Amino acid sequence: QVQLVESGGGLVQAGGSLRLSCVASGIIFSINAMGWYRQAPGKQRELVAVITSGGSTNYADSVKGRFTISRDNAKNTVYLQMNSLKPEDTGVYYCKGEVQSRPLRPWNDYWGKGTLVTVSS
């Protein structure tokens, strides 16, 4: 199977920076889109940023200009550089990957277990 493991979360003051990483491992033939989502306490999970295998990106309006998503296809890894953090960025950040385990097999979405980001004011 496929596992996604996030790292890099933690406690940071407002205005600070963090860099999240997510590594996909297991039976992987190809990975299409990879993305970061977050869930704040009492709220639904929302898209933060997504990047295709070709490098096209899309961001939530709330993080444009502050967050940058990137990926290393050779390492099956996606990153999220978060700058100018705000208290409203607090939440559990989840990684998702659209993975094809073998040629001509269906694409499936896999999620990591999340990493907590806390931004203090």
Side-chain angles (χ1 to χ4, degrees), residues 1-109:
Q1 293 302 320
V2 176
Q3 300 83 36
L4 275 70
V5 179
E6 303 97 335
S7 62
L11 174 64
V12 64
Q13 288 188 333
S17 299
L18 283 174
R19 189 191 193 212
L20 307 182
S21 300
C22 171
V23 180
S25 63
I27 303 175
I28 297 172
F29 173 71
S30 184
I31 303 178
N32 191 11
M34 299 188 79
W36 288 96
Y37 295 72
R38 67 186 180 192
Q39 187 166 15
K43 295 187 177 181
Q44 290 188 332
R45 192 174 298 187
E46 63 177 357
L47 172 69
V48 175
V50 64
I51 185 168
T52 68
S53 58
S56 297
T57 59
N58 192 32
Y59 296 91
D61 288 342
S62 59
V63 307
K64 284 180 180 177
R66 299 188 298 122
F67 291 9
T68 302
I69 189 170
S70 61
R71 64 190 284 174
D72 185 332
N73 291 331
K75 297 181 178 180
N76 291 335
T77 300
V78 63
Y79 306 96
L80 185 68
Q81 178 66 44
M82 304 186 295
N83 298 328
S84 302
L85 282 161
K86 304 176 180 180
E88 51 263 44
D89 294 318
T90 293
V92 179
Y93 283 69
Y94 299 90
C95 171
K96 187 180 83 168
E98 185 180 7
V99 179
Q100 187 183 41
S101 293
R102 291 182 175 85
L104 304 180
R105 300 298 293 171
W107 294 85
N108 292 301
D109 288 339

